[in-house]
Amino acid sequence: MSRLTGNKGEWSELYAFVKLLSTGKLYAADENLNRIDDTYFPILKILRSEASDLDTAYVIRSEDGSVDVLQNDKGPKKLMRDRLEEYASNLCDGIKKGSKAAFAIDCAENIMGDLACSKIAAPSTDKTDITMQLHDINTGYESICGFSIKSELGNPPTLLNASGATNFVFKISGISDAKMDRINAIATDTKIIDRITAISVAGRIEFQHAKNETFSGNLMLIDTRMEEIIAAILLDYYRNNISDCRTLLSLLEDRNPLKYPRRGVYEYKFKKFLCAVALGMTPARVWNGREEANGGYVIVKDDGDVVAYHIYNRDKFETYLLNHTKLERGSTSRHHFASIYKEGDEMYMNLNLQIRFI
C-alpha cells in the first residue's frame, strides 16, 4: 500500500485542523499577522466530511480540552488534549522538514487513523477548507463558519490564479503594422516591459475592457469602475516592474487617472476586490456576492502558530491582504497576452492579472 503524500500546503491543512483541535481557540490576528492574545473565539466543534455518506464532528470539551470524535452521530471516541498537542507538533516538524515536492510524513497515517480521517485535506468545492462552530464571547452567539486555510510553511500561495479569464484588453494606436511586428519580435527577459515601452514611445495604450464577460460582471458587483482600477494597476506593474500591491496603490493614488477627489479611494476599493477574491469570487464563474469562506481566513504562520482573520475583524484582514500580496506574471503563451494583435483595422494587446501572497 502506497504512503500518503502531499505538498506543504496540503499538509498544512491537516496541521491546522489538528492544531486547532489541540488549542480549542481560534485566535485573531492584527494586520501584520501577529496573534492578538486577548481576542479569540472558543471552538465548540470542527466538522469534516470526507464522503457524501460520512460526516465527522470533533466536539471539544470545555472542561478539559479533550475531543469527542463522532461519526454520523455515533461514538464517541475520546482524544486527550496532550495527545493532540503532540500530534500537532509532529506534523509541524514533518512539514518543515519536507521537500518542495510531494512528500510523506512518518507519523501522519497513525495520527489520521486516531482522528478517523483518511484524507490529508477535506474535500472542498469552494474556498472553504475547514468548517467550525464558534462561540462569540461578547454576544453568546454560536455560528458555524467556513474558513479558507493558507500556509506560510511552504511556497507562498496564489490569491488569484492567472488564466485566459484574467486578461484585460488594451487598444493600441499610433503604430504601423511594421512597427507592430518589430515590437512583437522583442524577446528579452523583460520583453513585456520593453514592448510596452516601445508602444508608449511611438503610440498610445488605452484600456478597453476585461476579456472575460463573467469576470467583468463579477468586478462590477464590487465596484462599477473596478475594471479601470485594475487595468491602471496592471499598466503600472508591467511598465515599472513594481509588483507589491501596496506600492502599486501608492503610485495609482499619485497619478489619480480616474480623478477621484481625495486620496484613499483606490486603496479602499482595491481592498474590497482582494477580500472578494479571498473569500469567494473567481474570475470564470458567475459570482453573486456571497462569501463562500464566510468565516474568513485561517493562516498557518512560519513558526507553526495558527491565527485567523474573521468576519469580525475584516478591516485588519483587508489591510493584511494589501500588505502581503503582489502581482506576478503568468505564462504569456498559455494565457495569450503581451503580444499586439489585430481585429479588423484595430490593434490590441492583452495584459494578464495574477496575484500571489508575499
Side-chain angles (χ1 to χ4, degrees), residues 76 118-119 133 153 174 180 187 212 226 261 300 330 333:
S118 59
K119 298 183 179 181
Q133 184 178 33
L153 292 176
M180 176 186 74
N212 183 277
M226 199 70 245
V300 180
S333 58

Side-chain angles (χ1 to χ4, degrees), residues 106-120:
D106 289 339
C107 58
E109 292 185 38
N110 289 335
I111 293 172
M112 293 168 66
D114 217 9
L115 289 166
C117 60
S118 59
K119 298 183 179 181
I120 298 172

Side-chain angles (χ1 to χ4, degrees), residues 144-162:
I144 295 177
C145 301
F147 290 80
S148 177
I149 298 175
K150 300 299 178 187
S151 175
E152 293 188 337
L153 292 176
N155 294 325
T158 55
L159 177 65
L160 180 74
N161 288 312

Side-chain angles (χ1 to χ4, degrees), residues 21 56-61 65-81 83-84 87 109-117:
L21 284 178
T56 308
Y58 300 83
V59 182
I60 300 174
R61 291 183 172 272
S66 63
V67 174
D68 287 343
V69 182
L70 295 92
Q71 291 192 299
N72 290 345
D73 295 323
K74 295 179 181 179
K77 174 182 180 181
K78 187 172 184 178
L79 295 175
M80 301 306 296
R81 170 173 283 179
R83 178 181 291 184
L84 291 165
Y87 286 168
E109 292 185 38
N110 289 335
I111 293 172
M112 293 168 66
D114 217 9
L115 289 166
C117 60

Side-chain angles (χ1 to χ4, degrees), residues 14-54:
L14 180 65
Y15 167 70
F17 164 56
V18 178
K19 179 71 172 178
L20 291 171
L21 284 178
S22 72
T23 62
K25 295 178 181 178
L26 183 67
Y27 283 95
D30 65 17
E31 58 271 20
N32 295 313
L33 205 59
N34 299 309
R35 179 201 285 192
I36 306 174
D37 288 326
D38 59 354
T39 304
Y40 62 87
F41 295 88
I43 303 170
L44 302 179
K45 66 175 71 170
I46 297 179
L47 305 171
R48 188 177 172 103
S49 295
E50 294 192 357
S52 59
D53 59 348
L54 182 60

Side-chain angles (χ1 to χ4, degrees), residues 284-296:
R285 186 178 65 184
V286 174
W287 181 59
N288 62 4
R290 185 177 68 88
E291 296 173 347
E292 293 173 344
N294 64 336

